[in-house]
Amino acid sequence: MFIRRFVLYLLLLILPMAVLGQNAIPSITANGAADQAKDAPKLEHFDPNLADPALNACDDFYKYSCNKWLAANPIPHDEVYWSTGSGLELWNETVLRETMEAASAKDAKRGAVQQKIGDYWAACMDESGIEAAGLKPLQPELDRIAALKSKKELTLEIAHLHHLFPGAWEQRDNQTNSPFFGFTGQQDYDDASKVVAQLDQGGLSLPNRDYYIKTDDKSVETLNKFRAHVQKMLVLTGEAEAQAGADSGTVVELETALAKAQMDNVARRDPKNINNKMSLAQVRALAPSIEWDVYLKAVKAPASSHYIVTSPDFFRAEEKLLAGHPLEQWKAYMRWHLIAQAAAYLTKAMVDENFDFYYHTLAGQEQIEPRWRRCVHNADRDLGEALGQAYVDRAFPPESKARTLEMVHAIERAMHDDVESVSWMTPATKEQAFVKLKGIEDKIGYPSHWRDYSSVKITRESYLGNVEQASAFELERWVTKIGKPVDRGEWTMTPATINAYYDPQLNTINFPAGILQPPFFEKGMDDSVNYGAIGMVIGHELTHGFDDQGRKFDAHGNLRDWWTAEDAKQYDERGKCISDEYTQEVPDAGAGVKQNGLLTQGEDTADNGGLRLALMALTNKFQAENKSVDTKEADGWTPRQKFFLSYANSWCQQYRPELMRTVVLTNPHSIPKYRVNNVVSNMPEFQEAFSCKKGAPMVRANQCRVW
Ligand SMILES: [Zn+2]
């Protein structure tokens, strides 16, 4: 699905979570030395005095707003980025940890949900038990691959592997993260009331195709390090050095060939490019080396009216590779993928080597996170809605929900006014836009019904086994949707997540309880502060419904063109202004690293629209109360100034250079400095608030505006 992720969410790396706005911060009950190294979670609260009076807001607003905070908050050794939201991340994780610890106590009175989260926790935290078991939990899977005798047997093994991979059902911006390809059930692009089968490109173990294809020194170096990492991992699981060397070469060769056949991430942003419908007969003909009837039966897929094949060229290339390379090479490929998937749940040697490549080399992390945090991240991924119930009880009171909903409605009204007032849209297209806006469903905090995990078997015996159980459950949960009516109540983020999303096929905006906390939202804060931080997030998600991608879907979530040709042309001109503006050098990410504004256009449009809509809603509220956003308050700041400061402050964030490079090259979001400076320099409202003069860096000569 085209899930639009709002905050940085990096493949294989980070799963942020969050906390609550009560005064009481949970205490950390430290079990080990590593845990004690962590400071108790401290929530950041907005303070206008974080602005640096020695600097000029009109020169570099991000620096003006964040300099003091960034200088006082260096990145901890076990982190790859650190932001004003990081305290919240730790706070949220601590709530989840305490929930699981209580459920894992031997004498705890436990219902079915507590049994699962308690035993998951106990198995994950049992480092000595995991060490003693060694490779035993993985051995049956290695044996299965070793026993394959013909290519004919590959299909069943592919289906089996897809069950073991967390996220194997999930189409992300570039690909599905599972061996060979991805398979899932998802809403049909042309008729969103139906769920159909989808086949997606996949099969890589680096973040995207560029990592295999680019020939600059840094890219070549990274690919060489990857090859060495594959070899080390194979040796750790018992292969002889020379054999592991040859196998790692095979892995790089096969993945490079798959990468070359993948559609690139800019092309994938246009849903028309991936909406390729095929019959089952056509799928069989596309890649006959895979026995599709066997595969579909093995993943329990119901019959589908048709199959969406996101990238037929990818499957054509995979077919050639399957036919052209011997079984032994595919066995090496599968062994590697299996090991890479399982490493984080096995012995210290496996965990450390996995960390060294995926976290240290690719993201610059110096030290691994304490075990408890890794356990919390994975439990949230695997049993998120079981944990989410406790999180909501503790961290998300009904008043928070009510106040958020009030802001959402105010910002939706601002969007209505905005559409009404723009001069470049014809009345016919405006009418359609109003229908879409009215059709957006607001989801706040948590789902109306909780996922039933009763069929997921969780024990204290095997951490890897628990992860695989949960992964198989998720794959089948998605696949068995095929042919059934759409469940509109479902969420694709867990309640404790610090993030938000717009879902174009459900036409919903979703704000998990995890982000409705300080410094993004605070019950007791001024409107100017809340609208600048969470108000912008709300406006951002709403704008996604009308960005260059979202505008192609209608109120019912169907991919349908409701624009007149002239309005579409007008839109594209404004969109191009944004994508040109954000196609820029990013010196902090390394010499020559350039942002592709075509990749980030949707997110940048949402940032610009989001902040403007939030300010419109705030101004409307002040007007209704007969107040002005430009009247100085007791603290010496006007509400409008505090609105912008609160926005910038919620984005103060520093990255390790390795992560910055990975983000700029792969992520559809701009880095925070540009999320702040490019947006405010497009806004006359900002220049008024801080009396910036024409020609100042924060006053762009050619200001872009879509919404
Ligand atoms: Zn977004």
Side-chain angles (χ1 to χ4, degrees), residues 19 25-28 38-43 86-92 94:
V19 179
I25 287 177
S27 60
I28 288 190
K38 217 30 147 175
D39 293 328
K42 174 177 155 278
L43 291 174
S86 292
L88 176 61
E89 226 174 289
L90 207 47
W91 201 101
N92 284 5
T94 304

Side-chain angles (χ1 to χ4, degrees), residues 4-6 540-541 544 603 606 669:
R4 315 292 302 145
R5 296 187 186 278
F6 157 69
H540 173 107
E541 300 309 338
H544 271 317
E603 295 300 334
H669 301 87

Side-chain angles (χ1 to χ4, degrees), residues 316-455:
R316 279 182 203 111
E318 186 155 78
E319 170 61 27
K320 271 197 197 141
L321 286 170
L322 282 167
H325 287 263
L327 177 67
E328 284 312 309
Q329 294 196 345
W330 290 109
K331 283 164 85 164
Y333 170 86
M334 288 191 283
R335 210 152 52 232
W336 152 247
H337 274 263
L338 174 71
I339 293 164
Q341 187 286 121
Y345 320 111
L346 292 169
T347 60
K348 184 168 184 310
M350 301 282 281
V351 168
D352 287 350
E353 178 56 33
N354 184 59
F355 168 82
D356 189 62
F357 182 75
Y358 282 106
Y359 296 76
H360 180 66
T361 300
L362 289 188
Q365 191 169 334
E366 291 169 0
Q367 191 183 307
I368 198 163
E369 280 189 317
R371 188 163 188 96
W372 75 266
R373 294 192 69 188
R374 286 177 273 145
C375 289
V376 166
H377 297 168
N378 293 335
D380 187 63
R381 177 196 65 200
D382 291 342
L383 298 167
E385 288 199 11
L387 276 172
Q389 302 173 35
Y391 178 81
V392 167
D393 287 347
R394 188 149 163 196
F396 195 60
E399 312 87 77
S400 286
K401 186 164 180 164
R403 183 146 179 214
T404 304
L405 200 57
E406 222 173 81
M407 293 176 72
V408 168
H409 289 153
I411 291 164
E412 286 170 344
R413 281 195 298 275
M415 178 99 212
H416 189 280
D417 294 348
D418 185 43
V419 170
E420 203 158 56
S421 70
V422 296
S423 57
W424 54 270
M425 265 174 118
T426 57
T429 306
K430 283 185 182 181
E431 265 324 298
Q432 296 277 327
F434 292 141
V435 172
K436 173 152 187 182
L437 182 58
K438 205 163 169 243
I440 290 177
E441 189 183 336
D442 311 320
K443 294 189 185 173
I444 316 291
Y446 52 91
S448 53
H449 59 267
W450 296 104
R451 190 159 301 151
D452 175 9
Y453 292 102
S454 55
S455 66

